[in-house]
Amino acid sequence: MTSRFEKDDIVEVNSEARLPFKVPRRKGVVRFAYDHNPPAYEVEFYWEGRSLGTHYLTEDELEPFQFESRA
């Protein structure tokens, strides 16, 4: 099965997904993509330039990050 996200992709975590620690934003960076069925990812969370930790999430718990345009 092909992974939907790759290393260094920015992703958002669905509101239903449980995280083992508090994060101010549910946005993170994919650090590892595992070839499971369904695919799974290790996502690292940051706040103000500091790493808050990593967590293992499935593809169903993630969405592509949408950048806000300031037009």
Side-chain angles (χ1 to χ4, degrees):
M1 184 162 219
T2 306
S3 296
R4 183 169 149 202
F5 303 107
E6 296 180 5
K7 184 179 183 310
D8 297 330
D9 281 354
I10 299 173
V11 293
E12 285 193 86
V13 179
N14 294 339
S15 58
E16 306 88 44
R18 298 290 216 155
L19 296 173
F21 47 86
K22 287 188 163 198
V23 292
R25 295 186 71 194
R26 296 178 72 81
K27 179 178 85 169
V29 178
V30 173
R31 291 300 173 208
F32 297 102
Y34 297 98
D35 190 22
H36 294 168
N37 188 9
Y41 306 90
E42 189 167 327
V43 178
E44 187 168 14
F45 297 90
Y46 290 91
W47 183 250
E48 296 181 349
R50 294 183 313 162
S51 176
L52 300 175
T54 61
H55 188 59
Y56 179 87
L57 296 158
T58 64
E59 190 170 82
D60 295 337
E61 297 173 307
L62 299 174
E63 300 172 1
F65 177 69
Q66 300 295 321
F67 288 97
E68 297 174 8
S69 64
R70 297 184 182 196

